[in-house]
Amino acid sequence: MLAATPDFGQARIIVIGDVMLDRYWSGQAARISPEAPVPVVRVKTIEERVGGAGNVALNIAKLGGKVTLLGVVGDDAEGDTLRRLLEAEGVVCDFVVEQEIRSICKLRVMAQHQQLIRIDFEETTLKFDSDALLAKLSMHLPKNNTVVFSDYGKGTLANIPEYINKAKQSGNKVLVDPKGVNYQRYAQADLITPNLSELQAVVGVAENEDNLVEKGRALLKQCQIPSLLLTRGEAGMTLIQDQQVRSLPAQAKDVFDVTGAGDTVIAVMALGVALDMALHDAMYLANLAGGIVVGKLGTSTVSMQELTRAMHGDRDSQYGIVSEDELAQILVGAKAHDERVIMTNGCFDLLHAGHVTYLQQAKALGDRLVVAVNSDASVRMLKGETRPINGLQERMAVLASLACVDWVVSFEEETPERLYCRLLPDVIVKGGDYSPEQVAGGDCVIKAGGEVRILSFVDGQSTTAMINKARGLE
């Protein structure tokens, strides 16, 4: 079992496949049309999201991975929207843009959070310059180590055997989210991720669990693919390989919408593969992520905070590691219940007994304790290039496990002044030989009616001393 969420920032991934735009027209349906027996929807909101291969890339980017998206779009407004949405989240888009086709767009009309109708705008046969797509793939392969093929059967991957061969020749690992019944097209891939109905359309309905595994292994042998991750809805996931089989139960508490869940699963698997994680560990994270995303409406992504909370089974979904925006909303509720919010900050690189005592004393000053943690980059600014010893996610996970800590949030700056001035806790706690006037953000909190408290550190406890002792310098 993993002790902490990995640092996905080291992953370098290409996603190639069918890119599409998902549009949502949402409103209320309170009457039936006099023109036909259909509901009349008074549209209140119009939302645009990235679908298909774009959603896979977006999921990777949201979890911190470096991702390049290859696909085909038309020279139209929908293609421009796709690029804008993706690039805003850090996805590098290198599309083949064709004048004679239209970008794929799926319009969903929603009322009371229920889908009434879906209208698809797409070409029946996608005609584009496949040599140009291959050239783009070849150009990006040397800078990456993993390629995800997201096949929605729209035509972008019509020549996928050639693309897979090119990726394998370059030394990249290959993952495929398959479509259709001809899995020979995916020969030589490292991992395929069909759902149960997709697999049974290829190998037939299994009589029992053993027969399912037998059929899966036969397919892998036939296609020269070493691993198959089978997503099974409420039955969870099963990883089938030649020598072993591993299964995990589903993690979703409430299934609201399964749209895009497969995109999230293969995105997390790709992140794990890119970091050379064991496949069963990557499956564990993918299973958690899939359980999160099916509780959301429409094509959605998972944040690192959500994944970490799910991984560590926090005492409540409103506790543990949170984003800054989530914390801002949480603190509004805490203050509305007259809860006294205490906040402190630090690097917390190697947590020791002095830290724990300090945090327990801080919590004793109020009802809720928030710990703000320096990002890896800001720790390097403060402590030098050899620090931190532990990455941000590991440091936050350890803090979140302490009974005295309610919420953990990260910040990028050298000091938490901006964060304190935004959140305005009731009390800022700082350890050491400071005066309240010297504490970053203290002036904002004091002006808002709060206070700054200085606590003494426990003598003889120091992260630097621990590091020096481990290195034999003391």
Side-chain angles (χ1 to χ4, degrees):
M1 188 69 69
L2 292 172
T5 44
D7 178 8
F8 291 133
Q10 304 303 311
R12 301 290 185 274
I13 301 170
I14 297 171
V15 176
I16 178 171
D18 298 305
V19 181
M20 56 195 76
L21 181 66
D22 286 335
R23 279 201 174 108
Y24 295 85
W25 290 0
S26 302
Q28 297 293 314
R31 63 190 181 94
I32 300 298
S33 171
E35 302 167 1
V38 295
V40 175
V41 179
R42 185 183 295 274
V43 175
K44 296 290 186 181
T45 62
I46 296 176
E47 186 178 5
E48 294 175 319
R49 301 185 187 182
V50 178
N55 191 40
V56 178
L58 194 60
N59 270 273
I60 292 171
K62 285 286 191 178
L63 288 170
K66 304 299 186 293
V67 58
T68 300
L69 176 63
L70 309 180
V72 182
V73 297
D75 186 14
D76 51 27
E78 288 77 12
D80 292 340
T81 298
L82 282 166
R83 185 184 296 275
R84 173 177 55 80
L85 292 173
L86 287 158
E87 290 182 345
E89 298 295 340
V91 178
V92 176
C93 298
D94 195 2
F95 297 147
V96 174
V97 181
E98 294 285 352
Q99 299 282 341
E100 301 302 320
I101 68 170
R102 68 180 303 168
S103 300
I104 299 171
C105 179
K106 297 181 179 180
L107 170 62
R108 296 171 175 88
V109 180
M110 315 287 294
Q112 285 86 8
H113 301 295
Q114 297 293 321
Q115 186 177 146
L116 298 184
I117 189 171
R118 193 183 91 182
I119 305 167
D120 290 359
F121 302 87
E122 64 182 67
E123 306 289 337
T124 54
T125 303
L126 189 63
K127 296 179 181 179
F128 68 97
D129 187 349
S130 60
D131 289 338
L133 186 59
L134 180 61
K136 290 180 181 295
L137 176 63
S138 301
M139 180 181 70
H140 290 287
L141 284 170
K143 297 174 287 186
N144 296 273
N145 66 2
T146 303
V147 182
V148 177
F149 291 91
S150 180
D151 193 353
Y152 274 77
K154 305 301 181 182
T156 304
L157 298 178
N159 293 335
I160 191 172
E162 186 176 8
Y163 301 155
I164 291 177
N165 184 55
K166 181 68 70 173
K168 296 294 289 184
Q169 285 179 350
S170 72
N172 276 253
K173 295 289 182 65
V174 170
L175 292 79
V176 179
D177 189 359
K179 192 74 172 178
V181 296
N182 179 16
Y183 279 26
Q184 281 294 151
R185 302 173 62 237
Y186 311 127
Q188 304 298 322
D190 295 287
L191 174 72
I192 54 175
T193 63
N195 61 38
L196 183 59
S197 62
E198 289 170 338
L199 180 65
Q200 291 188 148
V202 178
V203 302
V205 177
E207 300 171 1
N208 51 46
E209 192 71 15
D210 289 341
N211 186 231
L212 178 66
V213 172
E214 179 184 352
K215 288 176 177 289
R217 282 178 169 159
L219 179 65
L220 292 176
K221 184 177 181 180
Q222 177 186 351
C223 298
Q224 298 178 282
I225 299 172
S227 303
L228 183 156
L229 178 65
L230 181 63
T231 55
R232 309 175 66 176
E234 62 184 18
M237 293 182 181
T238 299
L239 179 64
I240 301 175
Q241 297 172 294
D242 182 44
Q243 298 297 323
Q244 63 180 355
V245 176
R246 294 174 182 262
S247 292
L248 290 173
Q251 293 295 309
K253 295 179 181 178
D254 297 300
V255 178
F256 194 64
D257 191 342
V258 298
T259 305
D263 298 335
T264 300
V265 167
I266 198 168
V268 176
M269 290 300 297
L271 285 164
V273 168
L275 296 184
D276 292 322
M277 289 174 58
L279 283 183
H280 62 270
D281 285 336
M283 176 180 69
Y284 166 68
L285 294 177
N287 193 42
L288 292 176
I292 295 167
V293 80
V294 296
K296 302 181 181 183
L297 177 63
T299 49
S300 300
T301 60
V302 174
S303 70
M304 183 61 79
Q305 289 80 14
E306 290 173 318
L307 186 59
T308 303
R309 280 205 301 273
M311 181 177 172
H312 291 282
D314 292 304
R315 293 157 286 184
D316 185 277
S317 62
Q318 289 297 302
Y319 290 80
I321 299 172
V322 294
S323 69
E324 182 179 326
D325 288 341
E326 287 176 317
L327 182 58
Q329 292 299 315
I330 289 168
L331 294 190
V332 170
K335 293 179 180 181
H337 288 88
D338 294 324
E339 293 179 333
R340 185 172 167 86
V341 176
I342 315 301
M343 196 164 175
T344 189
N345 67 278
C347 300
F348 298 100
D349 195 359
L350 295 178
L351 200 68
H352 51 66
H355 287 137
V356 175
T357 300
Y358 166 75
L359 293 172
Q360 288 172 335
Q361 292 174 347
K363 176 62 177 286
L365 298 174
D367 301 297
R368 302 295 184 191
L369 176 60
V370 180
V371 181
V373 185
N374 290 78
S375 68
D376 292 344
S378 64
V379 173
R380 283 191 289 272
M381 285 190 290
L382 293 166
K383 306 289 186 179
E385 288 299 318
T386 61
R387 301 280 295 275
I389 302 298
N390 292 311
L392 176 62
Q393 293 303 319
E394 288 85 355
R395 291 182 283 127
M396 295 176 77
V398 172
L399 286 164
S401 70
L402 297 177
C404 61
V405 175
D406 293 287
W407 300 292
V408 184
V409 67
S410 64
F411 63 95
E412 296 290 335
E413 302 89 346
E414 191 170 345
T415 77
E417 181 174 7
R418 178 196 58 79
L419 185 63
Y420 282 143
C421 290
R422 177 186 180 187
L423 299 177
L424 296 176
D426 296 295
V427 183
I428 292 178
V429 172
K430 191 67 178 175
D433 298 325
Y434 289 90
S435 66
E437 295 75 20
Q438 293 174 312
V439 175
D443 55 344
C444 290
V445 171
I446 291 171
K447 287 178 182 177
E451 61 177 306
V452 176
R453 297 284 293 271
I454 307 299
L455 300 180
S456 297
F457 284 134
V458 176
D459 291 338
Q461 297 290 335
S462 163
T463 298
T464 301
M466 292 174 67
I467 294 171
N468 289 338
K469 185 176 182 179
R471 290 173 175 170
L473 299 178
E474 289 188 355

